[in-house]
Amino acid sequence: MTNIRSRFNKPADRLAAQYTASLPFDKRLYRQDIKGSIAHARMLAKQGIISSEDARKIVEGLKAIKKEIEQGKFEFKIETEDIHMAIESRLVELIGEAGRKLHTARSRNDQVVLDMRLYTKEAIEHTINRIRELQRVLLDVAEANVKVILPGYTHLQVAQPVLFAHHLLAYFEMLERDTARFSDCLKRTDVMPLGSGALAGVTYDIDREFLAKELGFSKASQNSMDAVADRDFVIEYIAAAAICMMHLSRLAEEIVIWSTAEFGFIELDDAYATGSSIMPQKKNPDVAELARGKTGRIYGHLTAMLTVMKGLPLAYNRDLQEDKEALFGTVDTLLATMEVFAGMVRTFKVKSDNMLAGAGRGYILATDLADYLVKKGEAFRTAHETVGKLVSYAAGKGKKLAELDIKEYQRFSKLFNADVKKITPESAIAARNVSGGTAPAQVKRALTRARRQV
Amino acid sequence: MTNIRSRFNKPADRLAAQYTASLPFDKRLYRQDIKGSIAHARMLAKQGIISSEDARKIVEGLKAIKKEIEQGKFEFKIETEDIHMAIESRLVELIGEAGRKLHTARSRNDQVVLDMRLYTKEAIEHTINRIRELQRVLLDVAEANVKVILPGYTHLQVAQPVLFAHHLLAYFEMLERDTARFSDCLKRTDVMPLGSGALAGVTYDIDREFLAKELGFSKASQNSMDAVADRDFVIEYIAAAAICMMHLSRLAEEIVIWSTAEFGFIELDDAYATGSSIMPQKKNPDVAELARGKTGRIYGHLTAMLTVMKGLPLAYNRDLQEDKEALFGTVDTLLATMEVFAGMVRTFKVKSDNMLAGAGRGYILATDLADYLVKKGEAFRTAHETVGKLVSYAAGKGKKLAELDIKEYQRFSKLFNADVKKITPESAIAARNVSGGTAPAQVKRALTRARRQV
Amino acid sequence: MTNIRSRFNKPADRLAAQYTASLPFDKRLYRQDIKGSIAHARMLAKQGIISSEDARKIVEGLKAIKKEIEQGKFEFKIETEDIHMAIESRLVELIGEAGRKLHTARSRNDQVVLDMRLYTKEAIEHTINRIRELQRVLLDVAEANVKVILPGYTHLQVAQPVLFAHHLLAYFEMLERDTARFSDCLKRTDVMPLGSGALAGVTYDIDREFLAKELGFSKASQNSMDAVADRDFVIEYIAAAAICMMHLSRLAEEIVIWSTAEFGFIELDDAYATGSSIMPQKKNPDVAELARGKTGRIYGHLTAMLTVMKGLPLAYNRDLQEDKEALFGTVDTLLATMEVFAGMVRTFKVKSDNMLAGAGRGYILATDLADYLVKKGEAFRTAHETVGKLVSYAAGKGKKLAELDIKEYQRFSKLFNADVKKITPESAIAARNVSGGTAPAQVKRALTRARRQV
Amino acid sequence: MTNIRSRFNKPADRLAAQYTASLPFDKRLYRQDIKGSIAHARMLAKQGIISSEDARKIVEGLKAIKKEIEQGKFEFKIETEDIHMAIESRLVELIGEAGRKLHTARSRNDQVVLDMRLYTKEAIEHTINRIRELQRVLLDVAEANVKVILPGYTHLQVAQPVLFAHHLLAYFEMLERDTARFSDCLKRTDVMPLGSGALAGVTYDIDREFLAKELGFSKASQNSMDAVADRDFVIEYIAAAAICMMHLSRLAEEIVIWSTAEFGFIELDDAYATGSSIMPQKKNPDVAELARGKTGRIYGHLTAMLTVMKGLPLAYNRDLQEDKEALFGTVDTLLATMEVFAGMVRTFKVKSDNMLAGAGRGYILATDLADYLVKKGEAFRTAHETVGKLVSYAAGKGKKLAELDIKEYQRFSKLFNADVKKITPESAIAARNVSGGTAPAQVKRALTRARRQV
C-alpha cells in the first residue's frame, strides 16, 4: 500500500480513520477514477514526464483493476481511505515501481473533482433521458384522451373546464424547463480540472488541452484554486433536481387526489398500487405518496450542500467530501422517481365520465357568463358583479345555473338572452382559443409542437 | 409468504416494488420489531384473543428469527416490502398457522411507529451518554490546563484575555443544554402507540397498559389517528441533533483555526491528523473539517423531514416512510462525531506559550484601562472614548500600550497614574470575578459544579 | 450622540453603516432594552458603582424615552446603529453626564442577548395562550358535532369510519405536544445573561442574582463566553414553531380538501373565504392555503438561523444580528396563523350528511369483516385474505358489500352468517372501544380530559 | 372600490383580511403592474375589445396613479387586498366606467405572474451589473498587487505559495459562473404570461405577440395552466443567489481570517470597520461577518419557496403569494452585499510583508522538493515519502527546511544536491506555469482575459 503518512509517527486512530474514510461510498466512482488516471498516464508519457513503457503498464494495470472491481474480486480496504488511494495501492501491487509514478503532476484535490465532474456529466445525460421518457408518456396519455374534459381548479375549487390533455401538457412544460436547467448546468460541469494540482497548478510541462479532449471535456478550468475548491456544479445539479422533484410532487399530489373515492378521476393500475396489512379493501397510491415524500430528501440534500460550502476559506477543505452522498442520493432518487412515474402514468385508467361530471359541478361556467355580458357591452367589472349576484341567488335556491330559467337570469341583467343556455363546458373550452389556451385547436397544436421537442 | 395483495389481480411492478420497499433500511429495526411483537403476542394471549399455545409458538418463533438475523442466516427478500412483513412471513414459515394470528388487533401503521419509538428511545439514551463522555473530556482538558491563558475573541479579533478552561467550559454549557433538549424529547417519545390499529383503534379487548409496561413505556397514546400520523418525535430528535451538531461545528472551526501555523494554539495528535497525497509536509485537521461539513447533513435531514410532513392530511400516508433514513443518518452521524471528538480533544497538545503570546497581542487590555478610569471617577462612556483615542495614538506610533510611558497616558487623561502599568493579562482575568466570569476562582467553582453534573 | 468609534479616523461608509444597522428592525426591542437598563442602573446604584442620584436620573430618563417612543415622538436615527445606542444617545441628550455611566459593567454583547431573552420569554407566553385558544375552539367544534361520522383516511383513501370529534382531537393532541415543547424551550430561555460583559465577565462587583430577580428570570447564566455566543433559545423557539406550523399546515390541507365540491365536508364562512377577480362563483379557502404556504416561511427561518450559527468561533460575532428578523418573523407568522385559524374553524359549517355519505363509500367496513371472521375462529392473516378476495369480487361486480347477499359472502368463507349484515359505520365506530379509539365512549372521555387540560 | 366579493353575504373578517392581504409588500410592484396594465389596455383597444377612447382614459389614469404613488400621495388601503385591486379601484375612482373594463380578458392569476416576471427580469439585470462591478474591483486589487505572494492554504494549513492576484482571480471565476447562472435564469423568466386568464386562457381575440413585444418579452407562455401555476423562475433566481451568496460568504470568511492579529494579511479601511461598545481598541470586520450571516437568510428563502411549492395541485393556489417577500428579500440582500463588498475590497490595505512572511512558514516548499526528486528520476510516490521523512526530521529538530544543510538532505536521498537550496517561494510560484496555475505569466494572461470579460 502506498503511504501518504510518512511524516507521522503513528497510524490514524481507528475511529478517526473510519470517520474520515470515503471509500464506502466513493468506490462508486471507480470508473471515472480509472478513466481519468488512464488519460493522465497517457498525457504524462506524451509529454515525456514518464516513459511510454511505464504508461503502458499503468494503463494495463488500471484496466485489470477495473475488471477486478466489476467482477467483484477487488478487495476494498478501509485503510486506503478513498477510491483514489485504493486503486493506486492496488496498481503498485500489480505493476510495482511504474505505479508509483502515476500520481506525478496530480493531487487528490484535482483528481476527485475530475471524478465528480465525469460522474455529474453522465448523471445529467441520464436525467435528461428520463425526463424525455416521462414527457413522451405524458404526450401518449394526452393524445389518447384528447377529448376528455375535466374541471380545472384554482385553490382546489372548480374554476373552469379544461381538456385533460391541456392539464397534462402543463407538466410537459415544467419538465421542458427542467431539461433546459440541466442542460445549462452541464455547461458549468463540462470543465476539466486536472493540472490544478493541490491548489496552485503543477510544476511539470503537462498538456491540459490533451487531457480535456481525451476525457471528453469542452474546456479546461481557468484558475487552479477555484478548480479544487468549487462544487457549484454539484449544488446546481441538486438545485435543478429539487425543482424537478417539486414538479413531480405536484403531479403526485394530483394523482393522490384524483385517486380518491370522492374525485374518482383515475384508477391506478394494480401493478402500481399497494395493499394494507389490516384493511383488505385498500388500494393505496403509495408510489405517488413516496415520490411526494422523497421531495423532502432532495430538498435536504440541497440544504446540506449549501450549508457545507458556506464560509469555507480557499482552497480545498475536507468538508467537501460531503458532496458525494448528497449528489449520489439526489441522482438515484430523481432517476428512480421518473422511471416509476413513467410506468404509473402510462398505466392509470382515465375515468372520463367522472371527470366530465366534475366539470358540471359548482358554477364552473360563471366566467363565461360574465364574458357573455361583456360581449353584449357590459364593462367586465360590472359583469363580474352581476354574475356574482346571480350565483349567490342560485346557490340560495340550491339550483345549478343550468336550472335557472331565462327570466331568472334577466332579473340580474337585461342583456341575458336565451342563447345564454348555449354555454356549456364544451363551448367554454372551445372559446379559450388563444395560444396556450385550452381550446382543442390550441391543444392539438401544442401536442404537435411538444412531440417535435422530445 | 403472507399476502396482503389478495384484492389485486396482478403483482406489483418490479420497479414500483423496489421504489416502495423499505426493507433495505428498515431491517435495522428488527430488534424493536421482534420485541414489540413478543409483547403483543403475550398481551393477546393474556386477553384470550389468541391461545397461550399460539402465543408460546409465536414468541419462540420470533426469538428464533432474531437469532437467525444476528447470525446472518436470515434471508431478506425484497418482495416482503418491509421488516414487519419479512419477519411475519418467516414466522409463518417456521410455525405455521399460529403465525397468521400475530397481526390480530394490530396494523403496520401502529407497529411501525412503535418500532420507531423504541429505536428513538434507545438513540436518546446513547446520545446523552456520548454527550456526557465528551463533557468529561472537556473537563479533563480544562483541569489539566487550568492556568493556561489565551486571548478571548469577539469578531475573531482579540478582545480580552481568558482562561483556556473558561473557554472550554463554554462548550460544556452548550452540551449541557443539548442533554436537556434530548431529555425533553424523550418525554414525547416515550408513548406507546399499539392499539391505534390502522387509524381508529381496534375492535378487540386489548390491554394497552400491559403493553406499555411490558415495553418500558411510561404511557399509552391518547388518540389513535394522531398516534399513527405523528412523527414529531423524529423531527424533535433531529432538531436537537442539529443544534448539538452546530455546537460541535463551532468547536471544529476553532480547532481548525487553532491548528493553523498563524495561531498555533494546539497541535493535533498524529492519530487524529491526515496527510496529503501530494504535499508531504501537510498535517490536516480533517476530523474537525468533516464534522463541520457533516453539520450540513443533519440540517438536511431536518429540512427533509419538515418538508415530508408539511400539509399531509390525516392519518397515515406513505410519505412517512421517509422518516427512517433521516433519523438513522442523524443518529449515526451525531454519535460518531461525538465519539471521535472525545478522542481528538483528549489528545491534542495545548501550546500554552503561543496562547499566552496571543493574549499580549492587539490592545487586549483596553477595556481594563477604561474600567481603571471609571474606578477613578470617569463616566464609562467618557473613559471608553479616552481609551479609544489612546489606542489610536499608540497604533499611530506603532507601539503597544505597555510601551507607552506614563506621560503619554496622561496626555489623554490626568486620571492615569503609574499603577496603570500593573494591568496585565493575569490581572485582567483575575478582575473578572463575577459568577460566570473568567477569574480563576470562578472557573474553579464552575469546574467543580460541572464535574458534579456529569 | 455617544461615540464608540473614537479610535477610528473616519466615519463609517454610508452603505456600510446601512448594511450593518439593525435599528430598522431591532427598535421593536425598545421595551425590553429599557426594562433591562432600568434594572441594570438600579443594580449599579445598589452596589455603589454609580450614585443613587445618577441611577434615579437614568431611570427617569429611560421612562421618558419609553413614552417618547410609544407616542411616536422618538427620532430613530440610522447613525445610532441599533436600539441600544439609539436609547443611550437619547439618554445622554436628556440627562447628560449620568447617562454616560449607564453602560458601566455592561457590553452590547450581553445587553442584546438580554433583550432577546426577555422578548422570547414573552413570545412563548403569547404562543401558548394562542395554542390554548385554538385547542378550545377545536373542543367546541368537536363537542357541537359529537355524533358526526366521517370517513377516516389513510393514503387519502377511505379506511375506516371515525367520529369527526375524534378527528379533531388528533389536532388537539398535536397542539398539546406543541405547548409542551414551548414550555421546555422556556426553561432554556429563562436565563439572565447580564454580567457576562463583552465575553469574559466584568471587573465590577455587580449583583447578578439581583438582576435576575428584578427582571423575572429564574437563574443567571453560568459561563460568560457561552452567554454572549449562544442563540440556542432562538433556534429552539423557531424549531418548535416549525413543528407547530407543520401541524397547522396539515389542518389547512384538510380544510382545503374538505371544502372542495368533491368532498363537500365543510363550508367556510363567507368571512373567511375569498373571491376571484375573474370567476364570479369562486369561494376560495385562501386563509388555509396561505397558512400552508407560510409554513415554508418558518422552515426558512429555521434553515437561516442554523446556517448562521454553523461554524462560528467563540464568542460574539456580528452574524448573530441575523437572529432578530428570523425570530420576529416566526413569532408574528405563528401567532397570526393561530388567531385566524381559531376564527375560521369556529365558524365553518359542518356538512354532516356529506360526511356520513362519505363513510359509506369504498369498502370501508372490510376490516370489520376480517375481524368478524377472526372472532369466529379464523386466523387474522387468513381472514384478511378472504375479505380481500371478497372485495375483489364485489368490485368486479360493481357492487357495494352491503349489496352482496349472504350466499355470495359464504362463497368466500363458511363462517359468514346473516349477522354480518349488522356491521355498519356506527357499529364499526362503537367497536373500537379501546383507549385512544374512536368509540363514542372513548371520545367523550377524551373530550372531558382535554377540556380539563386547557 | 371595485368589489369582487359580490357572491358573498358578508365582508371578510378583519383578521382574515389582514392575514391574506399582500398590499403591504406587493405595492412594491406598482411600476410593473401599471406597465402591464397599460400594455393590456392598448392591446384590448387594438383588437377592438374596448374602444380607443376607453383605452386612452385607462392609460392616462394609470399614468396619473403612478405619479400619485411616486409622490407619496396614493392612499394604500388594506381593504383592496393587493396592488392590483388597489390600482384598479383608484382607476375607477379617477376615470369611472372605462376603468371597469381594464380587467377584461385578464385575471389576477396571469396579472400577478406578469408583474413578478417583469420585476425578476429587472432584478437579474441589476444583479449582473453588481457582479460585474465587484469583479472589476477584484481585478483592480489584483492588478495593483500583482507581485504580492501569500501562502495558499488547504485545510487552512499552509500548502504552497501563490500570488495574491491568483487567489483573487479564484473569486473572479466564481462570480463569472454566477453571471452565467443568472443569464440562464433570465431565459426562463423572459416569458410573457398574459392571456392565460385564470388558468384556461381567455375567450377574447387577444394579441399575445403584441403584448410580449410591448412589454419587452422574447416569447409568450405555451400553456395557460402552467403559466399561472409556475414560480420556477423565482426559485431559480433564489437558488442562483444562494450560490452567489455562498461565494461571498467564502470571501467574507477569508476577510475575517486575514484581518486577525494572527494572520494580519489585510487591514480594513476604517470606513468599513466597526467599534465595540465596551472594548475601545476593537476594529471589527462586521460587514464581512454580516454578509456571512446573511447567507443564511438567502438559504432560508430558498427553503421557504421550495417548501411552498411542494405538492401543490394545479393551477393557481394562494400559497403562491409567499413568493414575493422571499424574492424581494433575496434581491435586496444580494445587491446590498455586493455593493458594500465592492467598497470594502477596494479599500482594504494589503499587508504584503505579512503575507510574504506567511509564505515562508511551515514546510510550504515540500511539494517542490518532491518534484525536484522526481525530475532527478525518483518515482513521485517515493519522492513524496522521502520528503515526508525529511520534514519529520526537520520538525523534530525544530528547524525549517532552509536551515538544514545539504548533508542532512542527503541522508534522505542521494539525489539532493546543492541546487535544492534554490527552491524559494518565488521559484515555486514561477514553476507552476500551466494554464490556470499561479505562475506570474499565467496570472497576467488570466488578468487580461478577465478584464476583457467584464
Side-chain angles (χ1 to χ4, degrees), chain B residues 223, chain C residues 133-150 162-173 251 258 266 342 345-348 350 352 355 440 442-448 450-451:
Chain B
N223 181 287
Chain C
E133 183 196 343
L134 182 53
Q135 284 182 308
R136 280 190 294 269
V137 168
L138 289 169
L139 294 183
D140 291 347
V141 176
E143 286 166 356
N145 296 279
V146 78
K147 296 190 173 171
V148 172
I149 290 172
L150 87 166
V162 294
L163 290 184
F164 184 50
H166 189 60
H167 194 126
L168 293 178
L169 279 167
Y171 286 100
F172 180 92
E173 289 297 320
L251 181 52
W258 291 345
I266 61 168
V345 172
R346 184 185 289 117
T347 57
F348 66 51
V350 176
S352 52
M355 286 184 177
Q442 297 296 339
V443 172
K444 260 170 219 158
R445 200 181 307 162
L447 283 169
T448 306
R451 193 57 89 176

Side-chain angles (χ1 to χ4, degrees), chain A residues 281 286 297 318 325 337, chain B residues 7 19 286 297 318 325:
Chain A
Q281 85 279 15
D286 291 52
R297 181 182 292 238
R318 188 64 176 266
E325 285 166 289
T337 302
Chain B
R7 69 152 291 187
Y19 191 76
D286 291 52
R297 181 182 292 238
R318 188 65 175 264
E325 285 165 290

Side-chain angles (χ1 to χ4, degrees), chain C residues 5 7 9-10 13 19 103 269-271 273 277 281 286 289 292 297 318-319 322 325 337, chain D residues 5 7 9-10 13 19 103 108 269-271 273 277 281 286 289 292 297 318-319 322 325 337:
Chain C
R5 295 181 57 85
R7 69 152 289 188
N9 300 314
K10 48 172 122 162
D13 171 75
Y19 190 77
H103 208 56
D269 190 81
D270 280 2
S277 75
Q281 86 279 15
D286 290 51
E289 292 169 86
R292 190 176 56 185
R297 181 183 292 239
R318 188 63 175 266
D319 318 54
E322 287 292 293
E325 286 165 289
T337 302
Chain D
R5 294 180 58 85
R7 69 152 291 188
N9 298 313
K10 47 172 122 162
D13 171 75
Y19 191 76
H103 208 56
R108 271 189 299 187
D269 189 82
D270 280 3
S277 74
Q281 87 279 16
D286 291 53
E289 292 168 87
R292 190 175 57 183
R297 181 182 292 238
R318 188 64 176 266
D319 318 53
E322 287 293 294
E325 285 164 291
T337 303

Side-chain angles (χ1 to χ4, degrees), chain D residues 235-253:
Chain D
I235 301 179
E236 191 173 348
Y237 179 93
I238 300 177
I243 296 176
C244 183
M245 196 74 182
M246 176 270 282
H247 294 153
L248 299 178
S249 80
R250 301 183 78 167
L251 182 52
E253 176 83 2

